[in-house]
Amino acid sequence: MRYQTGTGTGKSSILLIYTGGTIGMKLDRTDQTLKPFDFRQILEEVPELGKFAYRIDSYTFDDIIDSSDVEPSLWQRLTTLISSRYDSYDGFVILHGTDTMAYSASALSFMIEGLTKPVVFTGSQLPVGTPRTDGKENLISAVEIAAAKDRDGHAIVPEVCIFFGNSLMRGNRTKKVNSETFRAFRSENCPLLAEAGINIRYSTGNIIRPADWDTKPVFHTALDTRVSILKIHPGITPQVVRNIICGPETRAVILETYGAGNAPSKQWFIDLVKEGIAMGKIILNVTQCLAGSVNMEIYATGKRLREAGVLSGYDCTTEGALAKLFHLMGMSEDNRFVAEELDKNLRGEITK
Ligand code: ASP
């Protein structure tokens, strides 16, 4: 790990944490491949950052990774890092690959409870060193958002969020939806927290504020990762469903269902769901749709799932549901506790 103290001074101080991803890559002209650049040169790469009257320190993990290699241990390291530096900074910006950014932002939203400062994830589709990069704008705006305070000196966005393509989104509501355009993320079930144009326009009514600004957050690092995701599709077989739902390694299964939470009405399917629940598994229903919510009351196919004991994930994203389960199961071995908490809106991840 490399910790670098920045040169700027001023009212706000930001810790810029670099985990990897396209944004921090630079074209190595000798072999024409993308390589991570040394983050100590961040001001050389993005001199615009020097124009802010903020102190910007940077922190680089030793293992700079493509975010396809992200593991829950990275979330634990990020949470521990933010916890240990919490009092020294006004905000945190995490540079991260786009592929799993929605998972990481969801995870941190649950792992930090009672946040009073911004934790802004960003990245880019093109490396920061390339001429048409989206990385500079994303980074510069993310830093500005992380430093923004209201008249009382409180953070304007004390949430874990993602800034990308001019939009600020709640982290646990986002999904990567495009692998090519600069608007790579969407947050269909939750309005934007801010939009960057000539000015950054904050939608303060959409932003969650802490109950108490003076209480330090609780940092949770325990995670139980015994979760599988079962995406329902035409042609799915009893063998596949059995392996996933009744497998000894799973404590919880996220069922990615059709539309408003519907799954095949075939008896074998319902029987396997019931068998899993009888084994003590948690089965959580989220929709495959990009927008909208599970409602297991509308169709007979959804109703049978509810009657079998499947829990509603409401309008949670799969990424958010996975992170919520990891976190809640890490807190307790008691599945009744997990089921009760799943039904609550803990960090703005569901509309309830
Ligand atoms: N594969 C890269 C990553 O997620 C893509 C990106 O950064 O945009 O790390």
Side-chain angles (χ1 to χ4, degrees):
M1 138 270 293
R2 260 173 271 129
Y3 178 62
Q4 183 78 14
T5 311
T7 49
T9 52
K11 288 193 205 103
S12 292
S13 52
I14 301 298
L15 183 61
L16 188 56
I17 304 166
Y18 179 47
T19 67
T22 301
I23 190 164
M25 306 272 178
K26 204 177 161 184
L27 188 67
D28 183 335
R29 303 230 174 255
T30 48
D31 63 0
Q32 297 296 310
T33 59
L34 290 174
K35 301 223 171 88
F37 67 80
D38 182 345
F39 235 67
R40 283 172 293 190
Q41 304 162 3
I42 182 72
L43 274 184
E44 257 170 56
E45 299 301 329
V46 193
E48 295 86 344
L49 286 176
K51 294 186 183 159
F52 284 129
Y54 313 142
R55 192 180 97 230
I56 304 175
D57 297 342
S58 68
Y59 187 101
T60 311
F61 284 110
D62 282 336
D63 40 344
I64 293 307
I65 53 170
D66 183 296
S67 79
S68 311
D69 280 323
V70 160
E71 291 292 339
S73 56
L74 177 81
W75 307 335
Q76 289 162 327
R77 286 157 71 197
L78 283 169
T79 302
T80 305
L81 173 65
I82 293 171
S83 160
S84 67
R85 312 277 161 139
Y86 197 74
D87 293 334
S88 311
Y89 294 96
D90 296 302
F92 300 84
V93 173
I94 301 177
L95 299 180
H96 192 290
T98 56
D99 289 344
T100 58
M101 192 185 292
Y103 289 91
S104 294
S106 296
L108 260 70
S109 78
F110 292 107
M111 294 168 80
I112 311 176
E113 184 181 355
L115 192 58
T116 56
K117 298 180 179 183
V119 175
V120 187
F121 280 78
T122 196
S124 67
Q125 296 280 56
L126 278 177
V128 100
T130 56
R132 282 193 313 107
T133 184
D134 52 332
K136 281 193 181 191
E137 265 182 60
N138 285 346
L139 172 55
I140 292 163
S141 299
V143 167
E144 190 167 338
I145 290 164
K149 292 183 190 167
D150 64 18
R151 276 197 220 121
D152 300 326
H154 294 139
I156 295 183
V157 192
E159 288 208 39
V160 177
C161 40
I162 289 184
F163 182 82
F164 216 93
N166 297 333
S167 299
L168 185 70
M169 296 155 276
R170 178 165 304 144
N172 57 33
R173 292 293 203 147
T174 56
K175 273 183 133 21
K176 183 171 178 181
V177 294
N178 200 308
S179 61
E180 286 180 19
T181 72
F182 291 158
R183 288 198 169 261
F185 289 87
R186 291 257 288 272
S187 159
E188 283 293 340
N189 284 335
C190 178
L192 298 181
L193 307 186
E195 254 187 299
I198 292 175
N199 298 306
I200 298 179
R201 277 184 195 279
Y202 294 96
S203 302
T204 39
N206 300 335
I207 296 169
I208 299 174
R209 293 160 71 84
D212 179 4
W213 288 99
D214 298 323
T215 306
K216 213 176 159 179
V218 182
F219 295 91
H220 302 270
T221 51
L223 297 171
D224 181 347
T225 60
R226 289 175 293 164
V227 182
S228 293
I229 300 173
L230 176 60
K231 182 168 185 162
I232 304 297
H233 58 85
I236 198 163
T237 62
Q239 290 77 6
V240 168
V241 174
R242 173 178 291 286
N243 284 345
I244 296 180
I245 289 188
C246 304
E249 294 305 321
T250 48
R251 182 174 163 198
V253 177
I254 297 172
L255 264 193
E256 265 202 8
T257 54
Y258 303 129
N262 306 312
S265 57
K266 296 179 188 76
Q267 196 54 45
W268 66 260
F269 183 82
I270 299 295
D271 286 346
L272 282 172
V273 167
K274 284 186 180 160
E275 193 177 323
I277 288 168
M279 289 168 79
K281 317 270 187 193
I282 296 165
I283 305 190
L284 184 66
N285 189 349
V286 301
T287 176
Q288 294 175 13
C289 295
L290 191 56
S293 180
V294 161
N295 180 344
M296 290 188 280
E297 299 301 329
I298 304 178
Y299 296 98
T301 45
K303 207 164 183 174
R304 289 192 80 191
L305 292 180
R306 185 182 58 71
E307 284 163 1
V310 171
L311 306 173
S312 176
Y314 302 95
D315 58 349
C316 200
T317 59
T318 301
E319 294 86 335
L322 188 80
K324 192 173 182 180
L325 277 164
F326 280 8
H327 162 64
L328 292 174
M329 288 171 23
M331 285 181 84
S332 171
E333 279 299 322
D334 179 358
N335 280 0
R336 268 174 316 178
F337 164 84
V338 175
E340 271 168 31
E341 294 296 299
L342 278 173
D343 204 53
K344 296 180 190 163
N345 178 13
L346 299 178
R347 309 277 196 274
E349 74 284 2
I350 53 176
T351 311
K352 235 196 134 192

